[in-house]
């Protein structure tokens, strides 16, 4: 390195200065602490060259120094004045709309500009940065630095460092905004104005090529810095929500999720009520913050799921995602409805993560039920061995009490799971049935203690019937709106309606695979009967008189769909074949031209389905378009037909079909 008394080489590497800077920063504990601050580090980088030069060297480099008030600009100012420039140019220090200094007052030194940035006086700082940047560009175009590239590199680096300092200040302002009780509206407004000015002055400038590493005059993309700062702020706010240790509180996760909801809704309301007005509409501030918090919460929940969670913790997480996050206490808050568009947000948890969470919950629930039933066996065994005589309470009373406890336990978990998702409620019943089927034989093997499983068998029956009703109720809710479209114009035009019905039916019937025979077959038969019954119910409803051509099309389509229904249920394993001809009979009656044939079809349906009533036949004939007298002559013979038909208690179809209240044609 050259001695202090010697002039610096024009091509001296900045690495030497960097080496000295590092040694100076490490010279004392105080300096080490200062170096940890980005602002302090920048200040030391900007001021180092001045501190290490001798007075002689300072004098020699006075015209190009960037660490003090630039005397080149001062001389230019006076020279312009002497040549007749306006006095106003010398005294006007205002900032114009483009963010540039309009007066001829000397530009501030780099250190002075940086001090403005640290004081958050961004408008004044940007005006000086812009003037400094323009000066560097002008001098480069004038080829001033051809013989002194180090000087250009130094000035370009100063501009870049100052711009980076502004970017850091934007990040700091955004991060600190939500931490403060009161919003500094003037500071936010000045930040937004600086971002706008920078975008305007660099609007026509293309990003530099990879060979132009100095980047002087290039767009700084401070709006992107702001967006990233918003995301970082949301992540920090979510990360700082209090969370207890599991060892300190069994409900640690439920408590933490409660705090998370409270903190996030408070921040979102603050953004809506106080921050939004400080930004132009094109920033879409509320939407940006909502997206950022959504992403931060998603990542946070996924991190929580990396921990080994127990049943109650899995339940708390599921409940929060389903029942809290989109509720009126958070994203669905009435004051946020105009700003929060949940339909535009991605899933809070990725599909794979969500599916795994539900699976973990079901697995944990199965373990809990199994553990509960195992404890019953252990307690019974321990109690029986200790007692030399039977307890005063009779075995029957004990079994009744035990079955009630089990039923209450299962019912509680069924209801709690149902509050989250219907599929989890169904899964709870599936798990309960499976575990009870394993438990009852094990308890029955305790022959030493004369254990009676009758009451537990009743519990299993009750749970099974509850499961049966639950599945069918869910199927009805899913398919009722679809069945109402049968025989409408929309139904005539495509096959999507029945396809949707059968798709939902197949999906629900998948739950039945957990059941043993013959229960599985019984359930499947119920589902099969429901689909056929509901189809017929809709088909015989009153409607406008159909012309012959349409009746033929309707009849043909009904028979085709009857075949589709039969095929699907046969693939599922249904063996109730007696249901298959019901829709065919009705379709034949509706489409048949020959009235003698109609009578034959009626005779056949009465023989096959003894529970069919005159009202059902009248409704079908009305749909066919027969007038009252012709219907009456046909219906009179139904009583005799039904007398000769053999009834079967397990083959009831029409008995469950309500007849239309109005059967006359419109």
């Amino acid at each position: 390195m050259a001695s202090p008394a010697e002039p610096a080489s024009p091509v001296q590497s900045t690495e030497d200065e960097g080496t000295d800077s590092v040694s100076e920063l490490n010279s004392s504990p105080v300096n080490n602490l200062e170096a940890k601050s980005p602002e302090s580090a920048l200040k030391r980088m900007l001021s180092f060259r001045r501190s290490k030069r001798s007075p002689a060297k300072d004098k020699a480099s006075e015209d190009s120094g960037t660490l003090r008030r630039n005397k080149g600009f001062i001389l230019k100012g006076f020279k312009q004045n002497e040549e007749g420039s306006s006095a106003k140019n010398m005294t006007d220090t205002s900032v114009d709309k483009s963010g540039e200094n309009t007066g001829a007052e000397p530009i501030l030194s780099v250190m002075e500009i940086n001090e403005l940035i640290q004081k958050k006086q961004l408008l004044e700082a940007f005006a000086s940065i812009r003037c400094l940047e323009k000066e560097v560009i002008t001098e480069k175009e004038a080829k001033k630095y051809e013989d002194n590239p180090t000087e250009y590199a130094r000035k370009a680096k100063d501009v870049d460092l100052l711009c980076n300092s502004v970017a850091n200040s934007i990040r700091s302002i955004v991060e600190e905004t939500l931490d403060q009780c009161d919003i500094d509206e003037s500071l936010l407004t000045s930040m937004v104005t600086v971002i706008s000015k920078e975008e305007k002055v660099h609007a026509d400038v293309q990003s530099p090529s990879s060979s132009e590493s100095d980047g002087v005059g290039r767009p700084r993309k401070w709006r992107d810095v702001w967006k990233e700062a918003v995301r970082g702020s949301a992540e920090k706010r979510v990360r700082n929500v209090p969370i207890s240790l599991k060892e300190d509180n069994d409900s640690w996760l439920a408590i933490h999720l409660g705090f998370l909801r409270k903190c996030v809704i408070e921040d979102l309301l603050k953004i809506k009520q106080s921050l939004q007005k400080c930004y132009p509409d094109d920033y879409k501030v509320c939407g940006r913050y909502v997206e950022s918090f959504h992403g931060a919460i998603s990542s946070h929940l996924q991190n929580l799921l990396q921990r080994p969670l127990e049943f109650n913790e899995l339940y708390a997480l599921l409940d929060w995602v389903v029942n809290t996050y989109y509720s009126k206490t958070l994203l669905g808050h009435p004051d946020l409805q105009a700003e929060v568009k949940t339909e535009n947000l991605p899933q809070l948890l990725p599909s794979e993560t969500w599916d795994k969470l539900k699976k973990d919950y079901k697995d944990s629930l199965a373990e809990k039920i199994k553990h509960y039933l195992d404890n019953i066996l252990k307690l019974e065994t321990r109690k029986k061995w200790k007692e030399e005589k039977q307890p005063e309470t009779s075995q029957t009373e004990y079994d009744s009490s035990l079955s009630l406890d089990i039923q209450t336990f299962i019912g509680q978990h069924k209801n709690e799971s149902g509050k989250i998702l219907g599929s989890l409620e169904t899964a709870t019943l599936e798990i309960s049935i499976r575990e009870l089927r394993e438990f009852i034989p094990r308890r029955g093997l305790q022959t030493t203690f004369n254990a009676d499983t009758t009451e537990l068998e009743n519990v299993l029956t009750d749970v099974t019937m509850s499961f049966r009703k639950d599945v069918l109720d869910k199927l009805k809710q899913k398919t009722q709106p679809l069945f109402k479209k049968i025989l409408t114009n929309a139904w005539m035009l495509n096959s999507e309606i029945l396809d949707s019905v059968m798709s939902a039916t197949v999906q629900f019937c998948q739950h039945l695979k957990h059941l043993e025979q013959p229960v599985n077959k019984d359930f499947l038969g119920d589902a099969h009967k429901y689909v056929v019954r509901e189809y017929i119910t809709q088909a015989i409803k009153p409607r406008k008189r159909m012309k012959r051509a349409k009746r033929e099309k309707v009849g043909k389509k009904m028979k085709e769909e009857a075949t589709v229904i039969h095929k699907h249920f046969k693939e599922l394993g249904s063996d109730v074949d007696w249901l298959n001809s019901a829709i065919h009979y009705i379709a034949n009656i509706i489409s048949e031209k020959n009235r003698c044939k109609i009578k034959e079809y009626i005779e056949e349906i009465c023989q096959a389905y003894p529970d069919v009533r005159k009202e059902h036949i009248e409704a079908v004939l009305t749909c066919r378009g027969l007038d009252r007298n012709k219907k009456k002559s046909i219906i009179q013979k139904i009583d005799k037909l039904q007398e000769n038909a053999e009834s079967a208690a397990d083959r009831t179809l029409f008995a469950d079909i309500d007849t239309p209240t109005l059967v006359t044609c419109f």
Side-chain angles (χ1 to χ4, degrees), residues 549-560:
K550 185 173 183 179
R551 290 200 306 269
E552 291 176 354
K553 290 181 180 179
V554 167
K556 181 181 178 182
K557 187 173 180 66
M558 287 179 65
K559 285 183 276 191
E560 290 173 351

Side-chain angles (χ1 to χ4, degrees), residues 9-14 17 145 148-155:
S9 170
V11 294
Q12 180 181 5
S13 171
T14 56
E17 296 175 3
Y145 301 112
N148 192 1
T150 303
E151 179 65 17
Y152 173 76
R154 183 161 51 243
K155 284 190 174 183

Side-chain angles (χ1 to χ4, degrees), residues 545-579:
R545 183 189 295 270
M546 292 184 287
K547 294 183 179 180
R548 176 181 295 178
K550 185 173 183 179
R551 290 200 306 269
E552 291 176 354
K553 290 181 180 179
V554 167
K556 181 181 178 182
K557 187 173 180 66
M558 287 179 65
K559 285 183 276 191
E560 290 173 351
E561 293 193 334
T563 302
V564 171
I565 293 171
H566 170 66
K567 179 182 176 183
H568 274 90
F569 276 105
K570 186 174 182 179
E571 291 174 353
L572 288 170
S574 174
D575 57 3
V576 285
D577 296 333
W578 60 273
L579 289 169

Side-chain angles (χ1 to χ4, degrees), residues 178 237-238 241 257-273 290 293 297 320 324-337 340:
L178 292 179
R237 299 289 293 177
V238 170
V241 173
L257 294 174
F259 280 131
L260 179 61
R261 183 207 64 78
K262 182 175 182 294
C263 292
V264 172
I265 189 59
E266 287 177 353
D267 282 348
L268 292 180
L269 290 174
K270 185 176 185 180
I271 292 161
K272 161 71 183 297
Q273 296 162 1
V290 168
F293 271 105
I297 292 170
W320 196 87
T324 299
Y325 186 64
Y326 295 100
S327 72
K328 292 182 179 180
T329 62
L330 221 170
L331 290 191
H333 194 284
D335 292 344
L336 297 175
Q337 287 182 354
V340 178

Side-chain angles (χ1 to χ4, degrees), residues 454-470:
T454 303
E455 285 292 336
L456 291 179
E457 291 286 355
N458 292 336
V459 172
L460 179 59
T461 301
D462 290 342
V463 173
T464 302
M465 293 306 297
S466 177
F467 175 73
R468 183 175 186 168
K469 182 178 182 300
D470 180 77

